[in-house]
Amino acid sequence: AQKITQTQPGMFVQEKEAVTLDCTYDTSDQSYGLFWYKQPSSGEMIFLIYQGSYDEQNATEGRYSLNFQKARKSANLVISASQLGDSAMYFCAMREPHRDDKIIFGKGTRLHILP
Amino acid sequence: DSGVTQTPKHLITATGQRVTLRCSPRSGDLSVYWYQQSLDQGLQFLIQYYNGEERAKGNILERFSAQQFPDLHSELNLSSLELGDSALYFCASSPGLAAIGEQFFGPGTRLTVL
């Protein structure tokens, strides 16, 4: 079974609109971390935001926020006021530190911001 | 800039050959991770080293091996290369073990096997 599921292979969004990228995860651990990474066409992996399983508040970093719904095992990324530079591949990922230290990635969502 | 460096940036080689990818973690980070990103498999964890010792293994082929040196830099060795080994190889680092925080990714080495 997939640990991280991103159901949107691609999305087109008008510039300045908000966008939500979906992510659901599967774990039986109580302690875990959820991440979002951005990969532009240049290839590098850029860390965006992190949410710990015990964090009570949703994580926010500038225009990025993580809508964490623990009971639903959902960790959607919300980008407010999208910009052309947001066009990239976005990966949701999870770390289960009591199993090992690796990060498990979803298959990604390719986001296109339209002018 | 994450502070993680990888060399070379691009590598083009032929089937059957052997290559070595190099990674220098962020200053002070003891854990190094290797990931492979290919079109068909996505991003997959290969192997982790912590302070010179192998800590975890993922989907790493027997033709691949890695090590972490006393100065904490790491090398990923790929041998008997096949066309399917063409991929982007990332190194990441983090301060220690079982840390909840992020891993810091290097810029990647793009390997093309012809």
PDB file of all heavy atoms in Angstrom, chain B residues 63-86:
ATOM      1  N   ARG B  63      24.389  -3.751  -7.365  1.00  0.00           N
ATOM      2  CA  ARG B  63      25.445  -3.111  -8.174  1.00  0.00           C
ATOM      3  C   ARG B  63      25.833  -1.745  -7.608  1.00  0.00           C
ATOM      4  O   ARG B  63      26.806  -1.142  -8.039  1.00  0.00           O
ATOM      5  CB  ARG B  63      24.955  -2.922  -9.616  1.00  0.00           C
ATOM      6  CG  ARG B  63      24.587  -4.196 -10.324  1.00  0.00           C
ATOM      7  CD  ARG B  63      24.181  -3.939 -11.771  1.00  0.00           C
ATOM      8  NE  ARG B  63      22.861  -3.345 -11.899  1.00  0.00           N
ATOM      9  CZ  ARG B  63      22.642  -2.083 -12.258  1.00  0.00           C
ATOM     10  NH1 ARG B  63      23.655  -1.257 -12.488  1.00  0.00           N
ATOM     11  NH2 ARG B  63      21.404  -1.633 -12.383  1.00  0.00           N
ATOM     12  N   PHE B  64      25.039  -1.264  -6.666  1.00  0.00           N
ATOM     13  CA  PHE B  64      25.305   0.052  -6.080  1.00  0.00           C
ATOM     14  C   PHE B  64      25.860  -0.138  -4.670  1.00  0.00           C
ATOM     15  O   PHE B  64      25.444  -1.051  -3.942  1.00  0.00           O
ATOM     16  CB  PHE B  64      24.018   0.880  -5.984  1.00  0.00           C
ATOM     17  CG  PHE B  64      23.382   1.226  -7.296  1.00  0.00           C
ATOM     18  CD1 PHE B  64      23.915   0.837  -8.511  1.00  0.00           C
ATOM     19  CD2 PHE B  64      22.212   1.981  -7.317  1.00  0.00           C
ATOM     20  CE1 PHE B  64      23.311   1.178  -9.713  1.00  0.00           C
ATOM     21  CE2 PHE B  64      21.600   2.331  -8.513  1.00  0.00           C
ATOM     22  CZ  PHE B  64      22.153   1.921  -9.707  1.00  0.00           C
ATOM     23  N   SER B  65      26.744   0.738  -4.286  1.00  0.00           N
ATOM     24  CA  SER B  65      27.250   0.714  -2.913  1.00  0.00           C
ATOM     25  C   SER B  65      27.561   2.135  -2.496  1.00  0.00           C
ATOM     26  O   SER B  65      27.681   3.023  -3.340  1.00  0.00           O
ATOM     27  CB  SER B  65      28.509  -0.155  -2.803  1.00  0.00           C
ATOM     28  OG  SER B  65      29.553   0.420  -3.559  1.00  0.00           O
ATOM     29  N   ALA B  66      27.659   2.337  -1.221  1.00  0.00           N
ATOM     30  CA  ALA B  66      27.948   3.673  -0.711  1.00  0.00           C
ATOM     31  C   ALA B  66      28.829   3.565   0.514  1.00  0.00           C
ATOM     32  O   ALA B  66      28.973   2.489   1.113  1.00  0.00           O
ATOM     33  CB  ALA B  66      26.652   4.418  -0.372  1.00  0.00           C
ATOM     34  N   GLN B  67      29.421   4.677   0.868  1.00  0.00           N
ATOM     35  CA  GLN B  67      30.168   4.748   2.113  1.00  0.00           C
ATOM     36  C   GLN B  67      30.207   6.186   2.591  1.00  0.00           C
ATOM     37  O   GLN B  67      30.009   7.119   1.806  1.00  0.00           O
ATOM     38  CB  GLN B  67      31.576   4.181   1.964  1.00  0.00           C
ATOM     39  CG  GLN B  67      32.395   4.760   0.841  1.00  0.00           C
ATOM     40  CD  GLN B  67      33.734   4.040   0.703  1.00  0.00           C
ATOM     41  OE1 GLN B  67      34.335   3.598   1.674  1.00  0.00           O
ATOM     42  NE2 GLN B  67      34.231   3.933  -0.521  1.00  0.00           N
ATOM     43  N   GLN B  68      30.451   6.333   3.878  1.00  0.00           N
ATOM     44  CA  GLN B  68      30.625   7.656   4.468  1.00  0.00           C
ATOM     45  C   GLN B  68      31.987   7.678   5.152  1.00  0.00           C
ATOM     46  O   GLN B  68      32.313   6.797   5.937  1.00  0.00           O
ATOM     47  CB  GLN B  68      29.522   7.968   5.482  1.00  0.00           C
ATOM     48  CG  GLN B  68      29.568   9.405   5.990  1.00  0.00           C
ATOM     49  CD  GLN B  68      28.465   9.716   6.996  1.00  0.00           C
ATOM     50  OE1 GLN B  68      27.976   8.834   7.684  1.00  0.00           O
ATOM     51  NE2 GLN B  68      28.079  10.982   7.089  1.00  0.00           N
ATOM     52  N   PHE B  69      32.739   8.677   4.841  1.00  0.00           N
ATOM     53  CA  PHE B  69      34.120   8.775   5.295  1.00  0.00           C
ATOM     54  C   PHE B  69      34.223   9.521   6.627  1.00  0.00           C
ATOM     55  O   PHE B  69      33.254  10.146   7.064  1.00  0.00           O
ATOM     56  CB  PHE B  69      34.945   9.474   4.211  1.00  0.00           C
ATOM     57  CG  PHE B  69      35.032   8.666   2.938  1.00  0.00           C
ATOM     58  CD1 PHE B  69      34.053   8.784   1.966  1.00  0.00           C
ATOM     59  CD2 PHE B  69      36.069   7.773   2.724  1.00  0.00           C
ATOM     60  CE1 PHE B  69      34.095   8.027   0.788  1.00  0.00           C
ATOM     61  CE2 PHE B  69      36.137   7.022   1.561  1.00  0.00           C
ATOM     62  CZ  PHE B  69      35.150   7.143   0.603  1.00  0.00           C
ATOM     63  N   PRO B  70      35.380   9.431   7.274  1.00  0.00           N
ATOM     64  CA  PRO B  70      35.545  10.115   8.574  1.00  0.00           C
ATOM     65  C   PRO B  70      35.234  11.606   8.538  1.00  0.00           C
ATOM     66  O   PRO B  70      34.786  12.151   9.553  1.00  0.00           O
ATOM     67  CB  PRO B  70      37.010   9.846   8.925  1.00  0.00           C
ATOM     68  CG  PRO B  70      37.325   8.551   8.263  1.00  0.00           C
ATOM     69  CD  PRO B  70      36.548   8.569   6.966  1.00  0.00           C
ATOM     70  N   ASP B  71      35.463  12.248   7.387  1.00  0.00           N
ATOM     71  CA  ASP B  71      35.122  13.675   7.324  1.00  0.00           C
ATOM     72  C   ASP B  71      33.642  13.892   7.010  1.00  0.00           C
ATOM     73  O   ASP B  71      33.202  15.014   6.807  1.00  0.00           O
ATOM     74  CB  ASP B  71      35.995  14.401   6.302  1.00  0.00           C
ATOM     75  CG  ASP B  71      35.710  13.948   4.878  1.00  0.00           C
ATOM     76  OD1 ASP B  71      34.940  12.975   4.683  1.00  0.00           O
ATOM     77  OD2 ASP B  71      36.254  14.562   3.942  1.00  0.00           O
ATOM     78  N   LEU B  72      32.877  12.819   6.988  1.00  0.00           N
ATOM     79  CA  LEU B  72      31.422  12.772   6.826  1.00  0.00           C
ATOM     80  C   LEU B  72      30.941  12.928   5.380  1.00  0.00           C
ATOM     81  O   LEU B  72      29.728  12.787   5.150  1.00  0.00           O
ATOM     82  CB  LEU B  72      30.715  13.798   7.723  1.00  0.00           C
ATOM     83  CG  LEU B  72      30.981  13.608   9.215  1.00  0.00           C
ATOM     84  CD1 LEU B  72      30.300  14.695  10.021  1.00  0.00           C
ATOM     85  CD2 LEU B  72      30.520  12.229   9.686  1.00  0.00           C
ATOM     86  N   HIS B  73      31.849  13.157   4.440  1.00  0.00           N
ATOM     87  CA  HIS B  73      31.361  13.161   3.074  1.00  0.00           C
ATOM     88  C   HIS B  73      31.033  11.724   2.670  1.00  0.00           C
ATOM     89  O   HIS B  73      31.500  10.760   3.303  1.00  0.00           O
ATOM     90  CB  HIS B  73      32.362  13.822   2.112  1.00  0.00           C
ATOM     91  CG  HIS B  73      33.360  12.897   1.483  1.00  0.00           C
ATOM     92  ND1 HIS B  73      34.575  12.606   2.067  1.00  0.00           N
ATOM     93  CD2 HIS B  73      33.314  12.205   0.316  1.00  0.00           C
ATOM     94  CE1 HIS B  73      35.235  11.778   1.273  1.00  0.00           C
ATOM     95  NE2 HIS B  73      34.502  11.519   0.216  1.00  0.00           N
ATOM     96  N   SER B  74      30.210  11.603   1.665  1.00  0.00           N
ATOM     97  CA  SER B  74      29.740  10.280   1.266  1.00  0.00           C
ATOM     98  C   SER B  74      29.915  10.109  -0.232  1.00  0.00           C
ATOM     99  O   SER B  74      29.907  11.086  -0.993  1.00  0.00           O
ATOM    100  CB  SER B  74      28.274  10.100   1.646  1.00  0.00           C
ATOM    101  OG  SER B  74      27.778   8.840   1.224  1.00  0.00           O
ATOM    102  N   GLU B  75      30.097   8.874  -0.632  1.00  0.00           N
ATOM    103  CA  GLU B  75      30.185   8.536  -2.046  1.00  0.00           C
ATOM    104  C   GLU B  75      29.210   7.401  -2.363  1.00  0.00           C
ATOM    105  O   GLU B  75      29.061   6.465  -1.558  1.00  0.00           O
ATOM    106  CB  GLU B  75      31.613   8.133  -2.423  1.00  0.00           C
ATOM    107  CG  GLU B  75      32.592   9.284  -2.337  1.00  0.00           C
ATOM    108  CD  GLU B  75      34.004   8.901  -2.729  1.00  0.00           C
ATOM    109  OE1 GLU B  75      34.267   7.708  -2.998  1.00  0.00           O
ATOM    110  OE2 GLU B  75      34.854   9.814  -2.754  1.00  0.00           O
ATOM    111  N   LEU B  76      28.575   7.530  -3.499  1.00  0.00           N
ATOM    112  CA  LEU B  76      27.681   6.481  -3.999  1.00  0.00           C
ATOM    113  C   LEU B  76      28.330   5.914  -5.254  1.00  0.00           C
ATOM    114  O   LEU B  76      28.601   6.655  -6.206  1.00  0.00           O
ATOM    115  CB  LEU B  76      26.301   7.058  -4.321  1.00  0.00           C
ATOM    116  CG  LEU B  76      25.257   6.094  -4.885  1.00  0.00           C
ATOM    117  CD1 LEU B  76      24.865   5.051  -3.846  1.00  0.00           C
ATOM    118  CD2 LEU B  76      24.021   6.846  -5.369  1.00  0.00           C
ATOM    119  N   ASN B  77      28.624   4.624  -5.230  1.00  0.00           N
ATOM    120  CA  ASN B  77      29.273   3.963  -6.351  1.00  0.00           C
ATOM    121  C   ASN B  77      28.250   3.141  -7.117  1.00  0.00           C
ATOM    122  O   ASN B  77      27.528   2.322  -6.528  1.00  0.00           O
ATOM    123  CB  ASN B  77      30.379   3.039  -5.842  1.00  0.00           C
ATOM    124  CG  ASN B  77      31.437   3.796  -5.069  1.00  0.00           C
ATOM    125  OD1 ASN B  77      32.112   4.655  -5.615  1.00  0.00           O
ATOM    126  ND2 ASN B  77      31.554   3.509  -3.780  1.00  0.00           N
ATOM    127  N   LEU B  78      28.198   3.374  -8.410  1.00  0.00           N
ATOM    128  CA  LEU B  78      27.262   2.651  -9.282  1.00  0.00           C
ATOM    129  C   LEU B  78      28.085   1.895 -10.303  1.00  0.00           C
ATOM    130  O   LEU B  78      28.895   2.497 -11.025  1.00  0.00           O
ATOM    131  CB  LEU B  78      26.327   3.633  -9.990  1.00  0.00           C
ATOM    132  CG  LEU B  78      25.701   4.767  -9.143  1.00  0.00           C
ATOM    133  CD1 LEU B  78      24.879   5.695 -10.021  1.00  0.00           C
ATOM    134  CD2 LEU B  78      24.857   4.200  -8.028  1.00  0.00           C
ATOM    135  N   SER B  79      27.917   0.586 -10.353  1.00  0.00           N
ATOM    136  CA  SER B  79      28.737  -0.205 -11.272  1.00  0.00           C
ATOM    137  C   SER B  79      27.858  -0.986 -12.245  1.00  0.00           C
ATOM    138  O   SER B  79      26.639  -1.088 -12.057  1.00  0.00           O
ATOM    139  CB  SER B  79      29.635  -1.160 -10.483  1.00  0.00           C
ATOM    140  OG  SER B  79      28.846  -2.056  -9.732  1.00  0.00           O
ATOM    141  N   SER B  80      28.513  -1.526 -13.267  1.00  0.00           N
ATOM    142  CA  SER B  80      27.817  -2.297 -14.328  1.00  0.00           C
ATOM    143  C   SER B  80      26.560  -1.546 -14.763  1.00  0.00           C
ATOM    144  O   SER B  80      25.459  -2.102 -14.785  1.00  0.00           O
ATOM    145  CB  SER B  80      27.460  -3.695 -13.820  1.00  0.00           C
ATOM    146  OG  SER B  80      28.597  -4.383 -13.387  1.00  0.00           O
ATOM    147  N   LEU B  81      26.755  -0.310 -15.100  1.00  0.00           N
ATOM    148  CA  LEU B  81      25.614   0.575 -15.345  1.00  0.00           C
ATOM    149  C   LEU B  81      24.733   0.090 -16.483  1.00  0.00           C
ATOM    150  O   LEU B  81      25.231  -0.449 -17.502  1.00  0.00           O
ATOM    151  CB  LEU B  81      26.091   1.995 -15.621  1.00  0.00           C
ATOM    152  CG  LEU B  81      26.573   2.746 -14.376  1.00  0.00           C
ATOM    153  CD1 LEU B  81      27.307   4.014 -14.765  1.00  0.00           C
ATOM    154  CD2 LEU B  81      25.395   3.055 -13.460  1.00  0.00           C
ATOM    155  N   GLU B  82      23.442   0.282 -16.291  1.00  0.00           N
ATOM    156  CA  GLU B  82      22.443  -0.068 -17.298  1.00  0.00           C
ATOM    157  C   GLU B  82      21.691   1.209 -17.688  1.00  0.00           C
ATOM    158  O   GLU B  82      21.722   2.204 -16.962  1.00  0.00           O
ATOM    159  CB  GLU B  82      21.480  -1.108 -16.718  1.00  0.00           C
ATOM    160  CG  GLU B  82      22.166  -2.373 -16.255  1.00  0.00           C
ATOM    161  CD  GLU B  82      21.204  -3.348 -15.578  1.00  0.00           C
ATOM    162  OE1 GLU B  82      20.001  -3.017 -15.464  1.00  0.00           O
ATOM    163  OE2 GLU B  82      21.677  -4.432 -15.160  1.00  0.00           O
ATOM    164  N   LEU B  83      21.002   1.114 -18.837  1.00  0.00           N
ATOM    165  CA  LEU B  83      20.252   2.274 -19.314  1.00  0.00           C
ATOM    166  C   LEU B  83      19.268   2.761 -18.244  1.00  0.00           C
ATOM    167  O   LEU B  83      19.059   3.964 -18.062  1.00  0.00           O
ATOM    168  CB  LEU B  83      19.502   1.933 -20.599  1.00  0.00           C
ATOM    169  CG  LEU B  83      20.345   1.596 -21.826  1.00  0.00           C
ATOM    170  CD1 LEU B  83      19.452   1.214 -22.999  1.00  0.00           C
ATOM    171  CD2 LEU B  83      21.244   2.756 -22.210  1.00  0.00           C
ATOM    172  N   GLY B  84      18.677   1.812 -17.532  1.00  0.00           N
ATOM    173  CA  GLY B  84      17.672   2.152 -16.532  1.00  0.00           C
ATOM    174  C   GLY B  84      18.216   2.849 -15.298  1.00  0.00           C
ATOM    175  O   GLY B  84      17.445   3.296 -14.453  1.00  0.00           O
ATOM    176  N   ASP B  85      19.529   2.933 -15.193  1.00  0.00           N
ATOM    177  CA  ASP B  85      20.125   3.639 -14.058  1.00  0.00           C
ATOM    178  C   ASP B  85      20.162   5.144 -14.296  1.00  0.00           C
ATOM    179  O   ASP B  85      20.503   5.905 -13.377  1.00  0.00           O
ATOM    180  CB  ASP B  85      21.551   3.129 -13.806  1.00  0.00           C
ATOM    181  CG  ASP B  85      21.575   1.663 -13.427  1.00  0.00           C
ATOM    182  OD1 ASP B  85      20.612   1.185 -12.787  1.00  0.00           O
ATOM    183  OD2 ASP B  85      22.560   0.978 -13.792  1.00  0.00           O
ATOM    184  N   SER B  86      19.828   5.556 -15.499  1.00  0.00           N
ATOM    185  CA  SER B  86      19.771   6.996 -15.785  1.00  0.00           C
ATOM    186  C   SER B  86      18.735   7.638 -14.879  1.00  0.00           C
ATOM    187  O   SER B  86      17.565   7.222 -14.859  1.00  0.00           O
ATOM    188  CB  SER B  86      19.397   7.223 -17.247  1.00  0.00           C
ATOM    189  OG  SER B  86      20.410   6.745 -18.106  1.00  0.00           O
TER     190      SER B  86
END
